[in-house]
């Protein structure tokens, strides 16, 4: 009899967004006249930049001509895109080799797939609250033990709350794989250079690996905030980094990302760069040529100008939410260097209760913090990715019911 990977059976189910969808659908069915404003899901609303569109049109034309047609591309990405990514890092003082950059179809896939190159008995640490992909993908691999009373038995939860300034403390038990995400989803907070240096030194000292997700680095506004873990001395011997065009350039539906694995990153005598190269060449056939042409256009001067305008649009939304909720008396975090605003619920109300109140009384859809981990309880997340009109309307409505 075929056996399945029964780690899948331990998963609690995609509780968060399924539950939100269920509650929203039930409310809408009972109140069809109500017009809901949705600031829950982290998807973008602005179109791709004209320069990106033009590059993709040109690539489509090339695909229609035998002289310029492209079949399978390089597994790790076209050189024109890799060199553009290298130059972008170099502009921030980070020198990378061509072989250290792996282009893919998404940071979600890379965050999930990276587990292939790590042993199943590694101890994993995540910030709490957390982007759920890090947790679920490790649970599927069998690293987390059983799920009991809302927690994985063999997972190090590092609480990040207002009380500790959203800074994960070094854990008592030394983890082997440490996931850090800055600017953070869901809290919208950032890591200082000093905090990252502390983690880099810790990982180097203990032989751990930091899996650093900087999918939201383009939203950083404060000059002292690091954009990449590789800006920190010593990071190349203990960290790899995920990046994405999804939020930087509106590629959520177009799909393109990259992961940096330094050649100096060696564990158990093996190069993690070589392992990831082997994994990708075996299981991945490269991101589409047309999409990579679009992604490369993001790095042109005109592309940069256009994406910055769009990011500025979302940053303005973030300010509207941040200031509006502050004025309404809520304690709010994030939003300055990130497209997410993390708000404390009033009077110690539970996340789901506050979610329901905002849904029913303000007709605004948010995301309850408890869905991102135990320490998310007592918070909700709002995203700045809506339209300016929807954002202003949502803040007006929320303010009116508080
Ligand atoms: N990492 C974080 C922290 C995210 O929030 C997201 C998307 O929401 C991703 C990665 C996934 O990005 P991509 O669209 O490139 O798969």
């Amino acid at each position: 009899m075929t056996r399945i990977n029964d780690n899948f059976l331990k998963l609690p189910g995609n509780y968060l967004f399924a539950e939100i969808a269920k509650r929203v659908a039930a409310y809408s069915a009972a109140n069809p006249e109500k017009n809901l404003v949705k600031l829950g899901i982290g998807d973008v609303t602005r179109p791709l930049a004209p320069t990106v569109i033009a590059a993709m049109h040109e690539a489509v034309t090339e695909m229609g001509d035998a002289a310029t047609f492209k079949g399978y591309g390089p597994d790790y990405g076209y050189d024109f895109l890799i060199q553009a990514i290298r130059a972008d890092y170099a502009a921030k003082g980070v020198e990378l080799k061509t072989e250290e950059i792996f282009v893919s179809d998404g940071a979600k896939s890379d965050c999930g797939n990276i587990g292939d190159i790590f042993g199943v008995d590694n101890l994993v640490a995540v910030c709490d609250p957390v982007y759920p992909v890090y947790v679920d993908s490790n649970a599927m691999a069998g690293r987390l033990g059983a799920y009991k009373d809302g927690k994985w038995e063999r997972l190090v939860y590092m609480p990040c709350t207002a009380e500790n300034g959203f800074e994960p403390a070094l854990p008592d038990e030394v983890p082997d794989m440490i996931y850090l995400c800055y600017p953070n989803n869901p809290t919208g907070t950032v890591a200082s250079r000093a905090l990252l240096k502390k983690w880099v030194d810790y990982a180097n000292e203990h032989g751990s690996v930091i899996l650093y997700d900087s999918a939201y680095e383009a939203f950083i506004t404060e000059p002292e905030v690091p954009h990449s873990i590789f800006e920190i001395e010593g990071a190349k011997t203990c960290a790899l980094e995920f990046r994405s065009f999804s939020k930087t350039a509106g590629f959520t539906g177009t799909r393109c990302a990259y992961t940096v694995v330094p050649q100096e990153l060696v564990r158990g005598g093996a190069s993690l760069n070589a392992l990831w190269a082997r994994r990708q060449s075996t299981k991945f056939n490269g991101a589409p040529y047309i999409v990579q042409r679009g992604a490369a256009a993001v790095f042109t001067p005109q592309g940069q100008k256009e994406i910055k305008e769009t990011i500025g649009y979302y940053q303005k939304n973030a300010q509207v939410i941040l200031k509006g909720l502050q004025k309404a008396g809520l304690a709010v975090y994030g939003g300055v260097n990130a497209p997410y605003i993390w708000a404390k619920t009033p009077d110690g109300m539970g996340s789901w209760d506050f979610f329901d109140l905002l849904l029913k009384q303000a007709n605004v859809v948010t995301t309850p913090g408890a869905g991102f981990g135990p320490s998310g309880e007592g918070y909700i997340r709002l995203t700045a990715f809506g339209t300016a009109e929807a954002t202003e309307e949502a803040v007006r409505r929320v303010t009116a019911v508080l």
Side-chain angles (χ1 to χ4, degrees):
M1 171 83 126
T2 305
R3 283 171 301 282
I4 52 134
N5 176 353
D6 59 9
N7 293 311
F8 278 69
L9 305 181
K10 301 175 190 163
L11 292 164
N14 195 358
Y15 173 69
L16 177 60
F17 289 102
E19 182 62 26
I20 291 173
K22 202 174 99 189
R23 291 189 191 206
V24 170
Y27 181 77
S28 290
N31 304 276
E33 75 292 355
K34 300 282 191 198
N35 147 39
L36 299 181
V37 179
K38 296 182 180 168
L39 297 187
I41 292 175
D43 197 1
V44 297
T45 50
R46 304 297 300 157
L48 292 170
T51 299
V52 168
I53 293 292
M56 291 204 291
H57 275 304
E58 207 175 300
V60 169
T61 304
E62 283 180 64
M63 292 300 248
D65 181 341
T68 49
F69 167 78
K70 303 277 185 299
Y72 288 125
D75 294 334
Y76 313 138
Y78 281 97
D79 196 55
F80 62 79
L81 178 55
I82 292 177
Q83 298 314 328
I85 294 167
R86 276 185 78 202
D88 185 57
Y89 270 101
K92 306 220 174 70
V94 176
E95 295 298 332
L96 296 176
K97 299 190 190 88
T98 298
E99 301 74 28
E100 295 177 321
I101 297 166
F102 298 86
V103 174
S104 74
D105 62 355
K108 187 178 192 177
S109 345
D110 286 354
C111 288
N113 294 335
I114 199 80
D116 279 10
I117 68 169
F118 292 99
V120 288
D121 48 2
N122 280 322
L123 183 64
V124 177
V126 293
C127 291
D128 172 24
V130 69
Y131 175 54
V133 175
Y134 316 144
V135 176
D136 288 5
S137 58
N138 277 292
M140 289 171 181
R143 286 193 192 91
L144 307 189
Y147 187 74
K148 276 192 196 144
D149 304 325
K151 278 195 161 193
W152 291 98
E153 257 176 353
R154 219 178 147 265
L155 176 63
V156 177
Y157 291 83
M158 304 187 290
C160 294
T161 60
E163 286 70 32
N164 65 6
F166 299 97
E167 288 202 356
L170 298 175
D172 297 334
E173 199 178 349
V174 178
D176 305 297
M177 297 164 63
I178 301 162
Y179 287 82
L180 296 178
C181 170
Y182 291 107
N184 190 259
N185 177 14
T187 66
T189 56
V190 286
S192 65
R193 225 163 262 280
L195 179 72
L196 292 186
K197 179 73 177 128
K198 183 170 85 171
W199 278 103
V200 163
D201 289 347
Y202 176 86
N204 276 324
E205 185 189 336
H206 293 96
S208 313
V209 171
I210 296 173
L211 298 101
Y212 195 76
D213 187 341
S214 61
Y216 297 97
E217 61 83 24
F219 289 81
I220 293 172
T221 57
E222 295 174 320
E224 66 278 13
V225 176
H227 286 244
S228 162
I229 187 93
F230 300 121
E231 290 177 45
I232 310 302
E233 200 198 329
K236 283 191 180 168
T237 51
C238 69
L240 53 86
E241 178 163 287
F242 305 109
R243 286 236 176 137
S244 173
F245 293 94
S246 282
K247 309 297 162 69
T248 304
F251 273 55
T252 53
T254 308
R255 311 304 304 144
C256 199
Y258 48 101
T259 290
V260 176
V261 188
Q263 287 182 335
E264 290 108 295
L265 185 56
V266 174
R267 290 292 179 271
S271 153
L272 269 63
N273 176 284
L275 298 187
W276 184 240
R278 187 72 172 88
R279 190 269 169 213
Q280 288 297 81
S281 67
T282 300
K283 295 193 184 180
F284 184 59
N285 250 339
Y289 173 70
I290 296 164
V291 169
Q292 291 191 60
R293 277 290 179 201
V298 166
F299 294 107
T300 61
Q302 182 60 21
Q304 284 291 297
K305 184 170 166 275
E306 290 166 5
I307 65 152
K308 281 183 180 144
E309 273 166 24
T310 301
I311 290 168
Y313 176 96
Y314 296 134
Q315 282 167 332
K316 216 163 139 198
N317 286 346
Q319 284 300 307
V320 168
I321 300 171
L322 199 64
K323 296 215 172 101
L325 297 189
Q326 246 161 8
K327 215 165 142 195
L330 291 185
V332 279
Y333 307 93
V336 176
N337 296 298
Y340 296 115
I341 290 88
W342 190 242
K344 192 132 189 58
T345 61
D347 309 319
M349 197 185 277
S351 293
W352 281 105
D353 291 340
F354 193 44
F355 167 88
D356 280 335
L357 183 147
L358 293 179
L359 173 64
K360 291 174 186 165
Q361 295 186 22
N363 297 151
V364 172
V365 181
T366 59
T367 311
F372 297 101
S375 296
E377 181 52 271
Y379 295 88
I380 56 155
R381 189 193 75 173
L382 291 110
T383 93
F385 287 126
T387 63
E389 299 73 34
T391 304
E392 276 166 23
E393 177 63 15
V395 170
R396 245 193 315 275
R397 291 186 192 181
V398 171
T399 307
V401 302
L402 286 177

